Amino acid sequence: MPANTLDLVMELTLRRATPADLEGVLALLTRTAGWLNGLGVRQWPAGGFPAERIEPLIGAGVMYLLDDGSPEPAATIAVDGHADPEFWTPADRPGDALYVHKLAVSRTCSGQGLGEVLLDWAALRAAAHDRPYLRLDCAKDNARLQAYYKKAGFRHVRTVDLPHRASGALFERDAGAAIPAAPSRRRTPMVPAQRSGHAVQAWRVLDITAHNELIEC
């Protein structure tokens, strides 16, 4: 390896968002919304979310982030028991699931499995709370995103086509399926290196299954 090449390993810490994180979370969601809308996907408002949409999630302790020490998190996810009543009916037994909202990964960290890691963790959290399912909704016309969730273990429940909602494709996955079935399963994934000039940077995600205080509380 040339002497002017550096190996940098950055460890991502999974933690609850605090009020001090609001600005960084809003920035990440705004960038993600702009990227989605640039692709023609109307999942989120093009300008991102106003603070009053995100502050309650942080205040309730249901917004989590992967922190790399930067002002803007590497990824965010909200996990709670709120089932959107326009999508999930009493027949779905809404109380049987936890629900994913505001899952976003920084474009600088995309394609490295961070979203899948957070979804695995969210499913473990649902199982720890005796909820058999982890659920979410996404854009009705985003076939690429729907394929992503299917690859992550979700199954398509149905699509609710409401004219005033861009979202409406409903997915769920068995919460218990997230629990590693064999010791050989990698639970502390090494994320592929990123090259920037002469620097080689890799992110190592903490073993999120060991974060019992974030799974069980």
Side-chain angles (χ1 to χ4, degrees), residues 191-202:
V191 185
Q194 293 288 305
R195 293 184 177 271
S196 177
H198 294 295
V200 179
Q201 187 175 64

Side-chain angles (χ1 to χ4, degrees), residues 2 11 24 29 44 67 70 81-82 86 90 108 116 118 134 136-137 143 154 184 202 215:
E11 199 167 69
L29 295 177
W44 290 344
D67 182 9
S70 302
H82 175 66
E86 290 195 311
T108 61
E116 292 92 330
L118 287 175
L134 181 68
L136 56 84
D137 62 82
F154 287 82
S184 62
I215 292 174

Side-chain angles (χ1 to χ4, degrees), residues 81-102:
H82 175 66
D84 191 321
E86 290 195 311
F87 295 150
W88 302 100
T89 70
D92 295 314
R93 300 175 61 91
D96 282 355
L98 289 184
Y99 297 82
V100 171
H101 317 277
K102 308 300 183 290

